[in-house]
Amino acid sequence: MGQRTTVHAACPHDCPDTCAIRVTVEDGVAVRIQGDPDHPPTHGALCTKVARYTERTYHPERLLHPLRRAGPKGSGRFTRVSWDEALEEIATRLRAIAARDPQAILPYSYAGTMGLVQGESIAARFFHRLGASLLDRTICASAGGTALNATYGSRVGMHVEHYRESRVILIWGSNSIASNLHFWTFAQEAKRAGAKLICIDPRRTETADKCHQHIALLPGTDGALALGMINELVRNDWLDHDYIRRHTDGWPELSAQAALWPAERAAAVCGLTAEEVRGLARDYATVEPSAIRLNYGMQRARGGGSAVRLIAALPCLIGAWRRRGGGLLLSSSGFAPIRRNALERPDLLPAPTPRTVNMSAIGEALLREAAPGFGPKIEALVVYNSNPVAVAPQSPQVVRGFAREDLFTVVLEQFQTDTADHADFILPATTQLEHFDVHASYGHTYVLVNEPAIAPLGEARPNTAIFRALAARLGFTEDCFADTDEQIGAQAFDATVDFARLRRTGWWRLPLADAPFADGGFPTPNGRAQFAPAALGVADFVAPYESVQSAPELALRYPLAMISPPARHFLNSTFVNVRSLRSIEGEPLLEMHPDDAARRGLSDGAMVRTYNDRGEYRCRLQVTDRARPGVVVALGVWWRKFGVAGTNANELTHQRLTDIGRAPTFYDCLVEVAASAPDQLAIEA
Ligand SMILES: Nc1nc2c(c(=O)[nH]1)N[C@H]1C(S)=C(S)[C@@H](COP(=O)(O)OP(=O)(O)OC[C@H]3O[C@@H](n4cnc5c(=O)[nH]c(N)nc54)[C@H](O)[C@@H]3O)O[C@H]1N2
Ligand SMILES: Nc1nc2c(c(=O)[nH]1)N[C@H]1C(S)=C(S)[C@@H](COP(=O)(O)OP(=O)(O)OC[C@H]3O[C@@H](n4cnc5c(=O)[nH]c(N)nc54)[C@H](O)[C@@H]3O)O[C@H]1N2
Ligand code: SF4
Ligand SMILES: [Mo]
């Protein structure tokens, strides 16, 4: 019997649950991964994906050595090189570009790991000191986040545990069983205690199946639904006048706006019945405590920011915040006492501040020439914690950008993703089991530590080590480049977090009130929720760029709205290459309602072509009433190389941005679907 130890870890994935994990290690090998039974949100359970984390870590296709491109851009052909050769050549190329204009260098990263150390710490310091372009990290949550900041002053909300006490829960724009499993456990507890669960989602998800009611609105119409509900709250006087008077600003403007939205008008926009709108308002406002679990599904359309502002007003109007089982949660990330400046060191930036490039329109950015108002052409891209070739909207442009022979691309990765295929250099990165990190969460109110369980595999290195080495080669001598990962972990939180204790216990609950806004006290300048802040005015319904109602001419050619929400057994594009999980998801599918399929003469299992002016995507059709009429669903995000024709659903999405927050509009996308020619059927087994 060898040496057996257990270490405290945290799930690194971009998931609101941020589970506390215990890793069992035997003779230097991670043999078991379990949810921490003592951490209240995790309560000992992990999702199917991360329960398989050892399969991912010890995957035979892990990148274990630096690689240099050995074929045309995007060919995916590489040869092994030493770390020394790779770092020296990368440093030489970056130094030469920086000598002309460092803004021609762009970092591209997101939340492949949510860790504060392996995310934006040494990496941000490195790019700040270099004077590289800044990246606007908008691809996921910035429409909803900006809306919460405007309304509540920060990204704050209910504690997830308190949903067990709610008597009615609106699950709004969320397939919780797939993407927020640990919230769902609390919702089920509430359900057993008699709570009514209502799911608001264009798709009949597995979560909708398990709720008492499913409201299948059209994509991008949530703002209209919220206005219709507010209209009903006023008409029936289901308002908490005292809470509104003492703890909110802008109600006169908001109520005037909502007066224009009787249930009939809202219903017509949403593709619902007026009774559905009225019933929803009644259920929401006449039982206490009532709670909303808002998620990001509805903010991926043009009006997503306004929709979140309108929905965020609801718990204030009925005084739901007075009790801890009432209120709303979209994100709790604003509660975490993170010292971003200490981690990222914006003081290292040159003056004037470099330009900012929006990650959500990376395709456009890579294809632009130097221009006033844009700045220099992008000559180098350093990608870490992200797989933009698969996940960024409008892949035809993204791929053309990444395929530029004159672009120098470095990708730090664990696997040879679609993005890594387009690299000049691939640098092998460690996984969560192999490096140190600290975490906050956007779905609960704890901070966590992740101790390394095993030594790095092969020659893999943590992101921090890679950027430290590049900083040294570029001659950056500031002390902050010498910080160890554990020192960075200690800098990550303010003094409310006792770092030494956190390392002993693995996780720690932030000292917050149970019902944080029972007596107002929102983190706005005057402590009141803002319905019509000066910068934005009152929110109204903002129609999608592309929908039958808002773009009737386009809809003549492309009459179906396509949404592409997360698949349950993947995490964005992570895990697509883990065989056991991919076999559960099967293959890329397009769901279509039987009426829409019959109208096109398409049958279940047929290969289809989904297309619009931007491109074409081929996959198998699934005829199912999970999709409502007029809406097709492509669960993703699949790696392009696993697709029939080497594409995924982002072949069809566009790069236009949300009303506020500069975010992508993945679910604001009209398409048409037709049978695919038989010679295009070849699918790899
Ligand atoms: N298993 C799994 N978990 C994940 C992820 C994953 O890929 N897989 N991704 C993680 C990430 S990065 C994030 S940001 C979160 C994402 O979290 P969410 O975006 O909340 O993802 P989902 O739970 O799929 O919920 C989106 C739901 O919104 C619905 N929807 C689409 N358009 C609209 C609309 O206009 N209005 C309304 N009301 N609903 C709409 C979709 O049908 C879908 O069921 O989940 C995280 N967790
Ligand atoms: N059509 C469509 N597109 C979408 C979405 C959608 O719903 N529909 N969702 C969008 C959303 S919400 C998001 S958040 C984005 C997500 O997009 P990304 O942030 O790109 O997320 P992933 O696809 O999970 O890719 C993360 C990559 O980081 C790598 N990685 C993980 N840990 C580390 C590490 O420690 N070091 C390094 N160097 N690499 C690491 C993983 O191997 C993985 O390849 O996708 C967006 N794209
Ligand atoms: S992906 Fe989410 S549910 Fe799964 S282990 Fe990680 S934090 Fe928990
Ligand atoms: Mo996301």
Side-chain angles (χ1 to χ4, degrees):
M1 189 69 202
Q3 176 101 9
R4 194 185 172 102
T5 53
T6 306
V7 301
H8 288 297
C11 176
H13 293 297
D14 189 353
C15 168
D17 298 17
T18 317
C19 289
I21 294 179
R22 290 191 187 162
V23 184
T24 308
V25 183
E26 253 176 45
D27 296 327
V29 178
V31 292
R32 195 155 172 213
I33 300 229
Q34 289 167 286
D36 187 334
D38 300 328
H39 180 234
T42 307
H43 56 76
L46 300 177
C47 65
T48 318
K49 309 178 285 297
V50 172
R52 310 275 170 89
Y53 202 74
T54 53
E55 191 180 338
R56 185 167 186 277
T57 295
Y58 295 113
H59 195 296
E61 289 159 14
R62 265 292 295 281
L63 295 166
L64 298 175
H65 313 283
L67 298 170
R68 179 200 277 128
R69 176 157 72 98
K73 265 284 163 83
S75 64
R77 292 209 299 279
F78 294 90
T79 51
R80 181 173 171 181
V81 290
S82 71
W83 269 107
D84 236 22
E85 280 174 90
L87 291 170
E88 191 51 39
E89 196 170 325
I90 293 166
T92 304
R93 292 289 297 266
L94 294 183
R95 206 182 294 116
I97 296 169
R100 294 192 297 277
D101 186 346
Q103 297 182 101
I105 301 168
L106 179 70
Y108 194 101
S109 68
Y110 201 64
T113 168
M114 296 282 291
L116 297 171
V117 177
Q118 304 306 332
E120 304 312 319
S121 69
I122 299 277
R125 296 173 189 180
F126 173 78
F127 290 110
H128 287 162
R129 172 68 178 75
L130 183 62
S133 287
L134 299 169
L135 185 72
D136 202 4
R137 291 184 172 80
T138 55
I139 201 155
C140 173
S142 73
T146 304
L148 287 188
N149 290 344
T151 311
Y152 299 156
S154 186
R155 294 161 320 290
V156 290
M158 286 174 64
H159 296 272
V160 68
E161 298 95 312
H162 296 154
Y163 280 93
R164 63 156 66 99
E165 295 165 17
S166 310
R167 300 284 297 159
V168 57
I169 306 178
L170 311 191
I171 299 179
W172 200 327
S174 174
N175 181 8
S176 313
I177 294 176
S179 70
N180 192 189
L181 188 61
H182 295 79
F183 153 76
W184 177 250
T185 310
F186 295 118
Q188 269 184 306
E189 240 182 90
K191 187 180 174 191
R192 283 195 293 274
K196 181 168 184 180
L197 270 48
I198 304 174
C199 183
I200 306 172
D201 193 314
R203 175 170 186 258
R204 185 170 61 73
T205 60
E206 54 266 58
T207 307
D209 283 337
K210 294 203 162 65
C211 288
H212 296 95
Q213 192 187 352
H214 174 211
I215 297 192
L217 81 179
L218 288 166
T221 64
D222 302 84
L225 181 58
L227 283 162
M229 287 174 71
I230 298 172
N231 185 289
E232 279 297 297
L233 301 185
V234 175
R235 205 169 62 84
N236 295 287
D237 196 20
W238 286 327
L239 299 165
D240 184 333
H241 295 282
D242 174 63
Y243 196 94
I244 294 174
R245 191 168 50 246
R246 290 198 298 134
H247 304 309
T248 75
D249 283 330
W251 175 235
E253 292 88 337
L254 180 57
S255 56
Q257 188 76 277
L260 306 173
W261 286 88
E264 287 73 14
R265 181 180 176 204
V269 168
C270 299
L272 301 170
T273 65
E275 190 37 49
E276 278 177 298
V277 179
R278 286 196 203 98
L280 180 63
R282 186 185 322 112
D283 284 334
Y284 176 62
T286 59
V287 185
E288 277 188 310
S290 64
I292 299 176
R293 182 56 168 109
L294 195 59
N295 221 319
Y296 289 109
M298 106 277 305
Q299 51 115 63
R300 306 202 197 289
R302 183 186 194 170
S306 297
V308 171
R309 288 179 62 208
L310 291 163
I311 296 165
L314 292 168
C316 303
L317 300 180
I318 64 166
W321 288 114
R322 289 182 189 275
R323 296 170 60 178
R324 67 181 199 175
L328 174 147
L329 177 63
L330 171 59
S331 169
S332 56
S333 65
F335 281 132
I338 298 172
R339 297 170 68 224
R340 294 263 174 226
N341 287 354
L343 288 169
E344 301 179 10
R345 297 293 303 269
D347 57 298
L348 296 171
L349 280 167
T353 304
R355 63 142 172 225
T356 299
V357 173
N358 189 339
M359 71 187 306
S360 299
I362 187 64
E364 276 170 17
L366 289 177
L367 296 175
R368 284 186 76 167
E369 296 297 326
F374 176 66
K377 185 171 183 173
I378 297 170
E379 292 180 59
L381 196 59
V382 182
V383 183
Y384 52 103
N385 303 339
S386 186
N387 182 12
V389 170
V391 306
Q394 204 172 350
S395 342
Q397 287 207 7
V398 178
V399 171
R400 252 204 303 143
F402 272 84
R404 272 176 44 199
E405 285 289 338
D406 65 336
L407 181 71
F408 179 65
T409 303
V410 179
V411 177
L412 286 63
E413 251 301 350
Q414 298 158 342
F415 292 99
Q416 197 172 328
T417 59
D418 293 324
T419 304
D421 279 344
H422 290 80
D424 292 278
F425 280 96
I426 305 178
L427 302 178
T430 45
T431 69
Q432 189 78 342
L433 299 186
E434 300 151 71
H435 56 226
F436 178 85
D437 221 323
V438 295
H439 290 254
S441 170
Y442 62 97
H444 63 59
T445 37
Y446 297 73
V447 291
L448 304 89
V449 72
N450 181 76
E451 303 284 350
I454 58 172
L457 299 190
E459 295 179 4
R461 294 187 183 177
N463 292 340
T464 43
I466 298 172
F467 285 110
R468 255 184 229 111
L470 283 173
R473 287 189 193 246
L474 286 168
F476 300 164
T477 52
E478 287 79 1
D479 289 346
C480 68
F481 291 107
D483 288 343
T484 65
D485 287 7
E486 294 175 15
Q487 285 168 332
I488 297 167
Q491 296 158 6
F493 302 116
D494 74 14
T496 52
V497 178
D498 178 337
F499 183 64
R501 184 180 49 192
L502 178 62
R503 289 195 71 178
R504 280 195 306 276
T505 56
W507 48 266
W508 185 66
R509 188 178 199 265
L510 296 170
L512 300 164
D514 264 0
F517 313 118
D519 195 22
F522 292 95
T524 52
N526 68 2
R528 297 155 75 95
Q530 301 296 315
F531 300 150
L536 297 173
V538 69
D540 193 4
F541 169 62
V542 177
Y545 290 109
E546 300 191 355
S547 73
V548 172
Q549 289 178 42
S550 62
E553 292 198 0
L554 187 68
L556 290 177
R557 286 185 292 142
Y558 307 122
L560 297 166
M562 184 188 80
I563 57 174
S564 48
R568 179 169 178 182
H569 298 96
F570 300 150
L571 208 129
N572 301 320
S573 77
T574 302
F575 295 107
V576 177
N577 62 327
V578 174
R579 192 173 293 274
S580 65
L581 296 171
R582 190 169 71 247
S583 66
I584 302 175
E585 291 295 333
E587 64 178 307
L589 295 171
L590 186 80
E591 297 175 348
M592 181 185 276
H593 189 270
D595 294 350
D596 289 324
R599 203 164 295 136
R600 289 167 179 78
L602 299 171
S603 50
D604 188 56
M607 292 304 288
V608 292
R609 218 158 59 78
T610 306
Y611 60 96
N612 59 22
D613 287 341
R614 293 176 287 271
E616 169 180 302
Y617 166 56
R618 290 206 293 274
C619 68
R620 197 175 296 284
L621 185 73
Q622 186 168 43
V623 177
T624 165
D625 64 2
R626 288 205 178 279
R628 59 158 287 161
V631 178
V632 289
V633 185
L635 295 183
V637 182
W638 282 82
W639 285 18
R640 287 166 58 85
K641 52 183 152 190
F642 288 114
V644 190
T647 58
N648 69 17
N650 277 323
E651 202 71 8
L652 305 170
T653 52
H654 57 75
Q655 297 173 77
R656 277 169 287 178
L657 304 177
T658 49
D659 51 353
I660 55 173
R662 308 170 307 284
T665 51
F666 291 108
Y667 308 166
D668 184 328
C669 177
L670 284 178
V671 300
E672 180 54 293
V673 181
S676 179
D679 65 332
Q680 295 165 338
L681 279 179
I683 184 165
E684 187 214 347

